[in-house]
Amino acid sequence: MDADPYLRKLHFRAHHRGTREADAMVGGFFDRYHKQWNEADFAWFERLLEEQDVDIMAWAMQTAAPDPGFAGPMMDLLQRLDFISLPEGLNTADK
């Protein structure tokens, strides 16, 4: 884990959302991409952490349009969902 208190705080908040699904989605997104973020990206992510899990998940799965303030390259990355690892046996692509 990073020694930076700011990154530790974001990591904790990203991984402790309230549901396992949101933990995997938001936490996985943070883990996969945060090392390449700039100051504006971190500000975007902090705002995202204030949103409801159900909204974040709907935006990521593209079942609802994101609020205009969240649209853009960071949302595009979130919508890729390439950062979520499924537990053994849940990957339907293998079947």
Side-chain angles (χ1 to χ4, degrees):
M1 173 51 58
D2 199 299
D4 182 339
Y6 174 71
L7 292 178
R8 284 197 321 268
K9 176 187 83 165
L10 288 182
H11 180 271
F12 182 87
R13 290 182 64 205
H15 282 276
H16 294 87
R17 301 292 306 167
T19 65
R20 292 180 75 190
E21 295 84 357
D23 293 349
M25 183 176 288
V26 179
F29 179 70
F30 176 82
D31 291 346
R32 168 68 175 83
Y33 291 110
H34 82 275
K35 290 182 182 176
Q36 66 192 43
W37 290 348
N38 61 32
E39 189 174 322
D41 297 335
F42 277 106
W44 181 94
F45 186 71
E46 285 192 80
R47 285 188 305 109
L48 184 76
L49 291 175
E50 298 301 322
E51 298 297 317
Q52 297 293 316
D53 290 346
V54 67
D55 294 330
I56 296 170
M57 294 175 74
W59 299 339
M61 294 185 296
Q62 301 181 51
T63 59
D67 287 349
F70 288 103
M74 290 287 284
M75 182 58 66
D76 294 343
L77 279 178
L78 180 67
Q79 290 174 338
R80 289 178 58 184
L81 298 176
D82 64 345
F83 47 84
I84 298 175
S85 19
L86 297 173
E88 187 77 27
L90 290 182
N91 190 349
T92 58
D94 295 337
K95 294 181 180 179

Coordinates of all heavy atoms in Angstrom, one line a residue:
M1 N 0.8 -1.2 0.0 CA 0.0 0.0 0.0 C 0.9 1.2 0.0 O 1.9 1.3 0.6 CB -0.9 -0.1 1.2 CG -1.8 1.2 1.5 SD -2.7 1.9 0.1 CE -3.8 0.6 -0.3
D2 N 0.4 2.2 -0.7 CA 1.2 3.5 -0.8 C 1.3 4.1 0.6 O 0.4 4.1 1.4 CB 0.4 4.4 -1.7 CG 1.3 5.5 -2.2 OD1 1.8 6.3 -1.4 OD2 1.5 5.6 -3.5
A3 N 2.4 4.8 0.9 CA 2.6 5.5 2.1 C 2.0 6.8 2.2 O 1.8 7.4 3.3 CB 4.1 5.6 2.4
D4 N 1.5 7.3 1.1 CA 0.9 8.6 1.0 C -0.5 8.6 1.7 O -1.4 7.8 1.3 CB 0.7 9.1 -0.4 CG 0.1 10.4 -0.6 OD1 -0.6 10.9 0.3 OD2 0.3 11.0 -1.7
P5 N -0.7 9.4 2.8 CA -2.0 9.3 3.5 C -3.2 9.6 2.6 O -4.3 9.1 2.8 CB -1.9 10.4 4.6 CG -0.4 10.6 4.7 CD 0.2 10.3 3.4
Y6 N -3.0 10.5 1.7 CA -4.1 10.9 0.7 C -4.5 9.7 -0.1 O -5.7 9.4 -0.2 CB -3.7 12.0 -0.2 CG -4.7 12.4 -1.3 CD1 -5.9 13.0 -1.0 CD2 -4.4 12.1 -2.6 CE1 -6.8 13.3 -2.0 CE2 -5.3 12.4 -3.6 CZ -6.5 13.0 -3.3 OH -7.4 13.4 -4.3
L7 N -3.6 9.0 -0.7 CA -3.9 7.8 -1.5 C -4.5 6.7 -0.6 O -5.3 5.9 -1.1 CB -2.6 7.3 -2.2 CG -2.1 8.2 -3.3 CD1 -0.8 7.7 -3.9 CD2 -3.2 8.5 -4.4
R8 N -4.0 6.5 0.6 CA -4.5 5.5 1.5 C -6.0 5.8 1.8 O -6.8 4.9 1.8 CB -3.7 5.4 2.8 CG -2.4 4.7 2.7 CD -1.8 4.2 4.0 NE -2.0 5.2 5.1 CZ -1.1 6.1 5.4 NH1 0.0 6.2 4.7 NH2 -1.3 6.9 6.5
K9 N -6.3 7.1 2.0 CA -7.7 7.5 2.3 C -8.6 7.2 1.1 O -9.7 6.6 1.2 CB -7.8 9.0 2.6 CG -9.2 9.5 2.8 CD -9.3 11.0 3.0 CE -9.3 11.6 1.6 NZ -9.6 13.0 1.5
L10 N -8.1 7.5 -0.1 CA -8.9 7.3 -1.3 C -9.1 5.8 -1.5 O -10.2 5.3 -1.9 CB -8.3 7.9 -2.6 CG -8.4 9.4 -2.7 CD1 -7.8 9.9 -4.0 CD2 -9.8 9.9 -2.5
H11 N -8.0 5.0 -1.3 CA -8.1 3.6 -1.5 C -9.1 3.0 -0.5 O -10.0 2.2 -0.9 CB -6.7 2.9 -1.2 CG -6.7 1.5 -1.3 ND1 -7.0 0.6 -0.2 CD2 -6.5 0.6 -2.3 CE1 -6.9 -0.6 -0.6 NE2 -6.6 -0.6 -1.9
F12 N -9.1 3.4 0.7 CA -10.1 2.9 1.7 C -11.5 3.3 1.3 O -12.4 2.4 1.3 CB -9.8 3.5 3.1 CG -10.7 3.0 4.1 CD1 -10.5 1.8 4.8 CD2 -11.9 3.7 4.5 CE1 -11.3 1.3 5.8 CE2 -12.8 3.2 5.4 CZ -12.5 2.0 6.1
R13 N -11.7 4.5 0.9 CA -13.1 4.9 0.5 C -13.6 4.2 -0.7 O -14.7 3.9 -0.9 CB -13.1 6.4 0.3 CG -13.0 7.2 1.6 CD -13.1 8.7 1.4 NE -14.4 9.1 0.9 CZ -14.7 10.2 0.2 NH1 -13.7 11.0 -0.1 NH2 -15.9 10.4 -0.2
A14 N -12.6 3.9 -1.7 CA -13.0 3.2 -2.9 C -13.4 1.8 -2.6 O -14.3 1.2 -3.3 CB -11.9 3.3 -3.9
H15 N -12.7 1.2 -1.7 CA -12.9 -0.3 -1.4 C -14.0 -0.5 -0.3 O -14.3 -1.7 0.0 CB -11.6 -0.9 -1.0 CG -10.7 -1.2 -2.2 ND1 -10.9 -2.3 -3.0 CD2 -9.7 -0.5 -2.8 CE1 -10.0 -2.3 -4.0 NE2 -9.3 -1.2 -3.8
H16 N -14.5 0.5 0.3 CA -15.5 0.3 1.4 C -16.7 1.1 1.1 O -17.1 2.1 1.8 CB -14.9 0.7 2.7 CG -13.8 -0.2 3.2 ND1 -12.5 0.0 2.8 CD2 -13.8 -1.3 3.9 CE1 -11.7 -0.9 3.2 NE2 -12.5 -1.8 3.9
R17 N -17.4 0.7 0.0 CA -18.6 1.4 -0.5 C -19.9 1.0 0.2 O -20.8 1.8 0.4 CB -18.7 1.2 -2.0 CG -17.6 1.7 -2.8 CD -17.4 3.1 -2.8 NE -18.6 3.8 -3.2 CZ -18.8 5.1 -3.1 NH1 -17.9 5.9 -2.5 NH2 -19.9 5.6 -3.5
G18 N -20.0 -0.2 0.6 CA -21.2 -0.7 1.3 C -21.7 -2.0 0.7 O -22.4 -2.8 1.3
T19 N -21.4 -2.3 -0.6 CA -21.7 -3.5 -1.2 C -20.5 -4.1 -1.9 O -19.6 -3.4 -2.3 CB -22.8 -3.4 -2.3 OG1 -22.3 -2.6 -3.4 CG2 -24.1 -2.7 -1.7
R20 N -20.4 -5.4 -2.0 CA -19.3 -6.0 -2.6 C -19.1 -5.6 -4.1 O -18.0 -5.5 -4.6 CB -19.4 -7.6 -2.5 CG -19.3 -8.1 -1.1 CD -19.4 -9.5 -1.0 NE -18.2 -10.1 -1.5 CZ -18.0 -11.4 -1.7 NH1 -19.0 -12.3 -1.5 NH2 -16.8 -11.9 -2.2
E21 N -20.3 -5.5 -4.8 CA -20.3 -5.1 -6.2 C -19.6 -3.7 -6.3 O -18.8 -3.5 -7.2 CB -21.7 -5.1 -6.8 CG -22.3 -6.5 -6.8 CD -22.9 -6.9 -5.5 OE1 -22.9 -6.2 -4.5 OE2 -23.5 -8.0 -5.5
A22 N -20.1 -2.8 -5.5 CA -19.6 -1.4 -5.6 C -18.1 -1.4 -5.2 O -17.3 -0.6 -5.8 CB -20.4 -0.5 -4.8
D23 N -17.7 -2.2 -4.2 CA -16.3 -2.2 -3.7 C -15.5 -2.7 -4.9 O -14.4 -2.1 -5.2 CB -16.2 -3.2 -2.6 CG -16.8 -2.8 -1.3 OD1 -17.2 -1.6 -1.2 OD2 -16.9 -3.6 -0.4
A24 N -15.9 -3.7 -5.6 CA -15.2 -4.3 -6.7 C -15.1 -3.3 -7.9 O -14.0 -3.1 -8.5 CB -15.8 -5.6 -7.2
M25 N -16.2 -2.6 -8.1 CA -16.2 -1.6 -9.3 C -15.3 -0.4 -8.9 O -14.4 0.0 -9.7 CB -17.6 -1.3 -9.6 CG -17.7 -0.3 -10.8 SD -19.4 0.0 -11.3 CE -19.9 -1.6 -12.0
V26 N -15.7 0.3 -7.9 CA -15.0 1.6 -7.6 C -13.6 1.3 -7.1 O -12.6 2.0 -7.5 CB -15.8 2.4 -6.5 CG1 -15.1 3.7 -6.2 CG2 -17.2 2.6 -7.0
G27 N -13.4 0.3 -6.2 CA -12.1 0.0 -5.8 C -11.2 -0.5 -6.9 O -10.0 -0.2 -7.0
G28 N -11.7 -1.4 -7.7 CA -10.9 -1.9 -8.9 C -10.5 -0.8 -9.8 O -9.4 -0.8 -10.3
F29 N -11.4 0.1 -10.0 CA -11.1 1.3 -10.9 C -10.0 2.1 -10.3 O -9.0 2.4 -11.0 CB -12.4 2.2 -11.0 CG -12.2 3.4 -11.9 CD1 -12.0 3.3 -13.2 CD2 -12.2 4.7 -11.3 CE1 -11.8 4.4 -14.0 CE2 -12.0 5.8 -12.1 CZ -11.8 5.7 -13.4
F30 N -10.0 2.4 -9.0 CA -9.0 3.1 -8.3 C -7.6 2.4 -8.5 O -6.6 2.9 -8.9 CB -9.3 3.3 -6.9 CG -8.2 4.0 -6.1 CD1 -8.0 5.4 -6.1 CD2 -7.3 3.3 -5.4 CE1 -7.0 6.0 -5.5 CE2 -6.2 3.9 -4.7 CZ -6.1 5.3 -4.7
D31 N -7.7 1.1 -8.1 CA -6.4 0.3 -8.2 C -5.8 0.3 -9.5 O -4.6 0.4 -9.7 CB -6.7 -1.2 -7.7 CG -7.0 -1.3 -6.2 OD1 -6.8 -0.3 -5.5 OD2 -7.5 -2.3 -5.8
R32 N -6.6 0.1 -10.6 CA -6.1 0.0 -11.9 C -5.6 1.3 -12.5 O -4.6 1.3 -13.2 CB -7.2 -0.6 -12.8 CG -7.0 -0.5 -14.3 CD -5.9 -1.5 -14.7 NE -5.7 -1.6 -16.2 CZ -5.0 -0.7 -16.9 NH1 -4.4 0.3 -16.3 NH2 -4.9 -0.8 -18.2
Y33 N -6.2 2.4 -12.2 CA -5.9 3.6 -12.9 C -5.2 4.7 -12.1 O -4.7 5.7 -12.7 CB -7.1 4.2 -13.6 CG -7.6 3.3 -14.7 CD1 -8.8 2.6 -14.6 CD2 -6.9 3.2 -15.9 CE1 -9.2 1.8 -15.7 CE2 -7.3 2.4 -17.0 CZ -8.5 1.7 -16.8 OH -8.9 0.9 -17.9
H34 N -5.3 4.7 -10.8 CA -4.9 5.9 -10.0 C -3.4 6.4 -10.2 O -3.1 7.5 -10.1 CB -5.2 5.8 -8.5 CG -4.1 5.0 -7.8 ND1 -4.1 3.6 -7.7 CD2 -3.1 5.5 -7.1 CE1 -3.1 3.3 -7.0 NE2 -2.4 4.3 -6.6
K35 N -2.6 5.5 -10.6 CA -1.1 5.8 -10.8 C -0.9 6.7 -12.0 O 0.1 7.4 -12.0 CB -0.3 4.6 -10.9 CG -0.2 3.9 -9.5 CD 0.7 2.7 -9.6 CE 0.7 2.0 -8.2 NZ 1.4 0.8 -8.2
Q36 N -1.9 6.8 -12.9 CA -1.7 7.6 -14.1 C -2.5 8.9 -14.0 O -2.5 9.7 -14.9 CB -2.0 6.9 -15.3 CG -3.5 6.4 -15.4 CD -3.7 5.4 -16.5 OE1 -3.0 4.5 -16.7 NE2 -4.8 5.6 -17.3
W37 N -3.2 9.1 -12.9 CA -4.1 10.3 -12.8 C -3.3 11.6 -12.4 O -2.3 11.6 -11.7 CB -5.1 10.1 -11.7 CG -6.2 9.1 -12.0 CD1 -6.4 8.5 -13.2 CD2 -7.1 8.4 -11.1 NE1 -7.5 7.6 -13.1 CE2 -7.9 7.5 -11.8 CE3 -7.3 8.6 -9.7 CZ2 -8.9 6.8 -11.2 CZ3 -8.3 7.8 -9.1 CH2 -9.1 6.9 -9.9
N38 N -3.9 12.7 -12.9 CA -3.4 14.0 -12.6 C -4.3 14.6 -11.5 O -5.3 14.0 -11.1 CB -3.2 14.9 -13.8 CG -4.6 15.1 -14.5 OD1 -5.6 15.2 -13.9 ND2 -4.5 15.2 -15.8
E39 N -4.0 15.8 -11.2 CA -4.8 16.5 -10.1 C -6.3 16.6 -10.4 O -7.2 16.4 -9.6 CB -4.2 17.9 -9.9 CG -4.8 18.6 -8.6 CD -4.1 19.9 -8.4 OE1 -2.9 20.0 -8.6 OE2 -4.8 20.9 -8.0
A40 N -6.6 16.9 -11.7 CA -8.0 17.0 -12.1 C -8.7 15.6 -12.0 O -9.9 15.5 -11.7 CB -8.1 17.6 -13.5
D41 N -8.0 14.6 -12.4 CA -8.5 13.2 -12.3 C -8.8 12.8 -10.9 O -9.9 12.2 -10.6 CB -7.6 12.2 -12.9 CG -7.3 12.5 -14.4 OD1 -8.2 13.1 -15.1 OD2 -6.3 12.0 -14.9
F42 N -7.9 13.2 -10.0 CA -8.2 12.9 -8.6 C -9.4 13.6 -8.0 O -10.2 13.1 -7.3 CB -6.9 13.2 -7.7 CG -5.9 12.0 -7.7 CD1 -4.8 12.2 -8.4 CD2 -6.2 10.9 -7.0 CE1 -3.8 11.1 -8.4 CE2 -5.3 9.8 -7.0 CZ -4.1 10.0 -7.7
A43 N -9.5 14.9 -8.5 CA -10.7 15.7 -8.1 C -12.0 15.1 -8.6 O -13.0 15.0 -7.8 CB -10.5 17.1 -8.6
W44 N -12.0 14.6 -9.8 CA -13.1 13.9 -10.4 C -13.5 12.7 -9.6 O -14.6 12.4 -9.2 CB -12.8 13.5 -11.8 CG -13.9 12.8 -12.6 CD1 -14.8 13.4 -13.4 CD2 -14.2 11.4 -12.6 NE1 -15.7 12.5 -13.9 CE2 -15.3 11.2 -13.4 CE3 -13.6 10.3 -12.0 CZ2 -15.8 10.0 -13.7 CZ3 -14.2 9.1 -12.2 CH2 -15.3 8.9 -13.1
F45 N -12.4 11.9 -9.2 CA -12.7 10.7 -8.5 C -13.2 11.0 -7.1 O -14.1 10.3 -6.6 CB -11.4 9.8 -8.4 CG -11.6 8.5 -7.7 CD1 -12.3 7.5 -8.4 CD2 -11.1 8.2 -6.5 CE1 -12.5 6.3 -7.8 CE2 -11.3 7.0 -5.9 CZ -12.0 6.0 -6.6
E46 N -12.7 12.0 -6.4 CA -13.2 12.4 -5.1 C -14.7 12.8 -5.2 O -15.5 12.4 -4.3 CB -12.4 13.5 -4.5 CG -11.1 13.0 -4.0 CD -10.4 14.1 -3.1 OE1 -10.8 14.2 -2.0 OE2 -9.6 14.8 -3.7
R47 N -15.1 13.5 -6.3 CA -16.5 13.8 -6.5 C -17.3 12.5 -6.7 O -18.4 12.4 -6.2 CB -16.7 14.8 -7.6 CG -16.3 16.2 -7.3 CD -16.6 17.2 -8.4 NE -16.1 16.9 -9.7 CZ -16.8 16.5 -10.8 NH1 -18.1 16.4 -10.7 NH2 -16.3 16.2 -11.9
L48 N -16.8 11.6 -7.5 CA -17.5 10.3 -7.7 C -17.7 9.6 -6.4 O -18.8 9.0 -6.2 CB -16.6 9.5 -8.7 CG -17.3 8.2 -9.1 CD1 -18.4 8.4 -10.1 CD2 -16.3 7.2 -9.6
L49 N -16.8 9.6 -5.5 CA -16.9 8.9 -4.2 C -18.1 9.4 -3.4 O -18.6 8.8 -2.5 CB -15.6 9.0 -3.4 CG -14.5 8.2 -4.0 CD1 -13.2 8.5 -3.1 CD2 -14.8 6.7 -4.0
E50 N -18.5 10.6 -3.7 CA -19.7 11.2 -3.0 C -21.0 10.8 -3.5 O -22.1 11.0 -2.9 CB -19.6 12.8 -3.0 CG -18.4 13.3 -2.3 CD -18.2 12.9 -0.9 OE1 -19.3 12.9 -0.2 OE2 -17.1 12.6 -0.5
E51 N -21.0 10.2 -4.7 CA -22.2 9.7 -5.4 C -22.7 8.4 -4.8 O -22.0 7.6 -4.2 CB -22.0 9.6 -6.9 CG -21.7 10.9 -7.5 CD -22.8 11.9 -7.4 OE1 -23.9 11.6 -7.6 OE2 -22.4 13.1 -7.2
Q52 N -24.0 8.1 -5.0 CA -24.6 6.8 -4.6 C -24.1 5.7 -5.4 O -23.9 5.8 -6.6 CB -26.1 6.9 -4.7 CG -26.8 7.9 -3.8 CD -26.6 7.6 -2.4 OE1 -26.8 6.4 -1.9 NE2 -26.2 8.6 -1.6
D53 N -23.8 4.5 -4.8 CA -23.3 3.4 -5.5 C -24.2 3.0 -6.7 O -23.7 2.6 -7.7 CB -23.2 2.2 -4.5 CG -22.1 2.3 -3.5 OD1 -21.3 3.2 -3.7 OD2 -22.1 1.6 -2.5
V54 N -25.5 3.0 -6.5 CA -26.4 2.6 -7.5 C -26.2 3.5 -8.8 O -26.3 3.0 -9.9 CB -27.9 2.6 -7.0 CG1 -28.4 4.0 -6.7 CG2 -28.8 1.9 -8.0
D55 N -26.0 4.8 -8.6 CA -25.8 5.7 -9.7 C -24.4 5.4 -10.4 O -24.4 5.3 -11.6 CB -25.8 7.1 -9.2 CG -27.2 7.6 -8.7 OD1 -28.2 7.0 -9.2 OD2 -27.2 8.4 -7.9
I56 N -23.4 5.2 -9.6 CA -22.1 4.9 -10.1 C -22.1 3.7 -11.0 O -21.6 3.6 -12.1 CB -21.0 4.8 -9.0 CG1 -20.8 6.2 -8.3 CG2 -19.7 4.3 -9.6 CD1 -20.0 6.1 -7.0
M57 N -22.7 2.6 -10.4 CA -22.8 1.4 -11.1 C -23.6 1.5 -12.4 O -23.2 0.9 -13.4 CB -23.3 0.3 -10.2 CG -22.4 0.0 -9.0 SD -23.0 -1.1 -7.8 CE -22.8 -2.7 -8.7
A58 N -24.7 2.2 -12.4 CA -25.5 2.4 -13.6 C -24.7 3.2 -14.6 O -24.8 2.8 -15.8 CB -26.8 3.1 -13.2
W59 N -24.0 4.2 -14.2 CA -23.2 4.9 -15.2 C -22.1 4.0 -15.8 O -21.9 4.0 -17.0 CB -22.5 6.1 -14.5 CG -23.5 7.1 -14.0 CD1 -24.8 7.3 -14.3 CD2 -23.2 8.1 -12.9 NE1 -25.3 8.3 -13.5 CE2 -24.4 8.8 -12.7 CE3 -22.1 8.4 -12.2 CZ2 -24.4 9.9 -11.8 CZ3 -22.1 9.4 -11.3 CH2 -23.3 10.2 -11.1
A60 N -21.5 3.2 -14.9 CA -20.4 2.4 -15.4 C -20.9 1.3 -16.4 O -20.2 1.0 -17.4 CB -19.7 1.7 -14.2
M61 N -22.1 0.8 -16.1 CA -22.6 -0.3 -16.9 C -23.4 0.3 -18.1 O -24.0 -0.5 -18.8 CB -23.5 -1.2 -16.1 CG -22.6 -2.0 -15.1 SD -23.5 -3.3 -14.1 CE -24.7 -2.3 -13.2
Q62 N -23.5 1.6 -18.1 CA -24.2 2.3 -19.2 C -25.7 2.0 -19.3 O -26.3 2.0 -20.3 CB -23.5 2.1 -20.5 CG -22.0 2.5 -20.5 CD -21.3 2.3 -21.8 OE1 -21.8 2.8 -22.8 NE2 -20.2 1.7 -21.8
T63 N -26.3 1.8 -18.1 CA -27.7 1.6 -18.0 C -28.4 2.9 -17.7 O -29.6 3.0 -17.8 CB -28.1 0.5 -17.0 OG1 -27.7 0.9 -15.7 CG2 -27.6 -0.8 -17.4
A64 N -27.6 3.9 -17.4 CA -28.1 5.3 -17.2 C -27.0 6.3 -17.6 O -25.8 5.9 -17.5 CB -28.4 5.5 -15.7
A65 N -27.4 7.4 -18.2 CA -26.4 8.4 -18.6 C -25.8 9.1 -17.4 O -26.5 9.4 -16.4 CB -27.1 9.4 -19.5
P66 N -24.5 9.2 -17.4 CA -23.9 9.9 -16.3 C -24.3 11.4 -16.2 O -24.6 12.0 -17.2 CB -22.4 9.8 -16.5 CG -22.3 9.6 -18.0 CD -23.5 8.9 -18.4
D67 N -24.3 11.9 -15.0 CA -24.5 13.4 -14.8 C -23.5 14.1 -15.7 O -22.3 13.6 -15.8 CB -24.3 13.8 -13.4 CG -25.5 13.3 -12.5 OD1 -26.5 12.9 -13.0 OD2 -25.3 13.5 -11.3
P68 N -23.8 15.2 -16.3 CA -22.9 15.9 -17.2 C -21.5 16.2 -16.6 O -20.5 16.2 -17.3 CB -23.6 17.2 -17.6 CG -25.1 16.8 -17.5 CD -25.1 15.8 -16.3
G69 N -21.5 16.5 -15.3 CA -20.2 16.8 -14.7 C -19.3 15.6 -14.6 O -18.1 15.8 -14.3
F70 N -19.8 14.4 -14.8 CA -18.9 13.2 -14.8 C -18.6 12.7 -16.2 O -17.8 11.8 -16.3 CB -19.6 12.1 -14.0 CG -19.6 12.4 -12.5 CD1 -20.8 12.8 -11.9 CD2 -18.4 12.3 -11.7 CE1 -20.8 13.1 -10.5 CE2 -18.4 12.5 -10.4 CZ -19.6 13.0 -9.8
A71 N -19.2 13.2 -17.2 CA -18.9 12.7 -18.6 C -17.5 13.1 -19.0 O -17.0 14.1 -18.5 CB -19.9 13.3 -19.5
G72 N -16.9 12.3 -19.8 CA -15.6 12.6 -20.3 C -14.6 11.4 -20.2 O -15.1 10.3 -20.0
P73 N -13.3 11.6 -20.3 CA -12.4 10.5 -20.4 C -12.3 9.6 -19.1 O -12.2 8.4 -19.2 CB -11.0 11.2 -20.5 CG -11.3 12.6 -20.9 CD -12.7 12.9 -20.5
M74 N -12.5 10.2 -18.0 CA -12.5 9.4 -16.7 C -13.8 8.4 -16.7 O -13.7 7.3 -16.4 CB -12.5 10.2 -15.5 CG -11.2 10.9 -15.3 SD -9.9 9.8 -14.7 CE -10.3 9.5 -13.0
M75 N -14.9 9.0 -17.1 CA -16.1 8.1 -17.2 C -15.9 7.0 -18.3 O -16.3 5.9 -18.1 CB -17.3 8.9 -17.5 CG -18.6 8.1 -17.5 SD -19.0 7.2 -16.0 CE -19.3 8.5 -14.8
D76 N -15.3 7.4 -19.4 CA -15.0 6.4 -20.4 C -14.2 5.3 -19.9 O -14.4 4.1 -20.2 CB -14.3 7.1 -21.6 CG -15.1 8.1 -22.3 OD1 -16.4 8.1 -22.2 OD2 -14.6 8.9 -23.1
L77 N -13.2 5.6 -19.0 CA -12.4 4.5 -18.4 C -13.2 3.7 -17.5 O -13.1 2.5 -17.5 CB -11.2 5.2 -17.6 CG -10.0 5.6 -18.4 CD1 -9.0 6.2 -17.4 CD2 -9.3 4.4 -19.1
L78 N -14.0 4.3 -16.7 CA -14.9 3.6 -15.7 C -15.8 2.7 -16.5 O -16.0 1.5 -16.1 CB -15.7 4.6 -14.9 CG -16.6 4.0 -13.8 CD1 -15.8 3.3 -12.7 CD2 -17.5 5.0 -13.2
Q79 N -16.3 3.1 -17.6 CA -17.3 2.3 -18.4 C -16.6 1.1 -19.1 O -17.3 0.2 -19.5 CB -18.0 3.2 -19.4 CG -19.0 4.1 -18.7 CD -19.6 5.1 -19.6 OE1 -19.1 5.4 -20.7 NE2 -20.7 5.6 -19.2
R80 N -15.3 1.1 -19.2 CA -14.6 -0.1 -19.8 C -14.8 -1.3 -19.0 O -14.8 -2.4 -19.5 CB -13.1 0.2 -20.0 CG -12.9 1.3 -21.1 CD -11.5 1.6 -21.3 NE -10.7 0.4 -21.6 CZ -9.4 0.5 -21.8 NH1 -8.7 1.6 -21.7 NH2 -8.7 -0.6 -22.1
L81 N -14.8 -1.2 -17.7 CA -15.0 -2.3 -16.7 C -13.9 -3.3 -16.9 O -14.1 -4.5 -16.5 CB -16.4 -2.9 -16.9 CG -17.6 -2.0 -16.5 CD1 -18.9 -2.7 -16.8 CD2 -17.5 -1.5 -15.1
D82 N -12.8 -3.0 -17.4 CA -11.7 -3.9 -17.6 C -10.8 -4.1 -16.4 O -9.8 -4.9 -16.4 CB -10.8 -3.5 -18.8 CG -10.1 -2.2 -18.5 OD1 -10.4 -1.5 -17.6 OD2 -9.1 -1.9 -19.3
F83 N -11.2 -3.5 -15.3 CA -10.5 -3.5 -14.0 C -11.1 -4.4 -13.0 O -10.6 -4.6 -11.9 CB -10.3 -2.1 -13.5 CG -11.6 -1.4 -13.5 CD1 -12.5 -1.5 -12.4 CD2 -12.0 -0.6 -14.5 CE1 -13.8 -0.9 -12.5 CE2 -13.2 0.1 -14.6 CZ -14.1 -0.1 -13.5
I84 N -12.2 -5.1 -13.3 CA -12.9 -5.9 -12.3 C -12.5 -7.4 -12.6 O -12.7 -7.9 -13.7 CB -14.5 -5.7 -12.5 CG1 -14.9 -4.3 -12.2 CG2 -15.2 -6.7 -11.6 CD1 -16.3 -4.0 -12.4
S85 N -12.1 -8.0 -11.5 CA -11.8 -9.4 -11.6 C -12.9 -10.2 -10.9 O -13.3 -9.8 -9.8 CB -10.5 -9.8 -11.0 OG -10.0 -8.9 -10.1
L86 N -13.5 -11.1 -11.6 CA -14.6 -11.9 -11.1 C -14.0 -13.1 -10.4 O -13.0 -13.7 -10.8 CB -15.5 -12.4 -12.2 CG -16.2 -11.3 -13.0 CD1 -16.9 -11.9 -14.2 CD2 -17.1 -10.5 -12.1
P87 N -14.7 -13.5 -9.3 CA -14.3 -14.7 -8.6 C -14.3 -15.9 -9.5 O -15.1 -16.0 -10.5 CB -15.3 -14.9 -7.4 CG -15.9 -13.5 -7.3 CD -15.8 -12.9 -8.6
E88 N -13.5 -16.9 -9.2 CA -13.5 -18.2 -10.0 C -14.9 -18.7 -10.2 O -15.7 -18.7 -9.3 CB -12.7 -19.2 -9.2 CG -12.4 -20.5 -10.0 CD -11.4 -20.4 -11.1 OE1 -10.5 -19.5 -10.9 OE2 -11.4 -21.1 -12.0
G89 N -15.2 -19.1 -11.4 CA -16.5 -19.7 -11.7 C -17.6 -18.7 -12.1 O -18.7 -19.1 -12.5
L90 N -17.3 -17.4 -12.0 CA -18.3 -16.4 -12.4 C -18.1 -15.8 -13.8 O -18.9 -15.0 -14.2 CB -18.4 -15.2 -11.4 CG -18.9 -15.6 -10.0 CD1 -19.0 -14.4 -9.1 CD2 -20.3 -16.2 -10.1
N91 N -17.0 -16.1 -14.4 CA -16.7 -15.5 -15.7 C -17.5 -16.3 -16.8 O -17.1 -17.4 -17.2 CB -15.2 -15.6 -16.0 CG -14.8 -14.8 -17.2 OD1 -15.7 -14.4 -18.0 ND2 -13.5 -14.6 -17.4
T92 N -18.5 -15.7 -17.3 CA -19.4 -16.3 -18.2 C -18.7 -16.5 -19.6 O -19.2 -17.2 -20.4 CB -20.7 -15.6 -18.4 OG1 -20.5 -14.3 -18.7 CG2 -21.5 -15.7 -17.1
A93 N -17.7 -15.7 -19.9 CA -17.0 -15.8 -21.2 C -16.3 -17.1 -21.3 O -16.1 -17.5 -22.5 CB -16.0 -14.6 -21.3
D94 N -16.0 -17.8 -20.2 CA -15.3 -19.1 -20.3 C -16.3 -20.2 -20.6 O -15.9 -21.3 -20.8 CB -14.6 -19.4 -19.0 CG -13.5 -18.4 -18.7 OD1 -13.0 -17.8 -19.7 OD2 -13.1 -18.3 -17.5
K95 N -17.6 -20.0 -20.6 CA -18.5 -21.1 -20.8 C -19.0 -21.2 -22.2 O -19.0 -20.3 -23.0 CB -19.8 -20.8 -19.9 CG -19.3 -20.9 -18.4 CD -20.5 -20.7 -17.5 CE -19.9 -20.8 -16.1 NZ -20.9 -20.7 -15.1

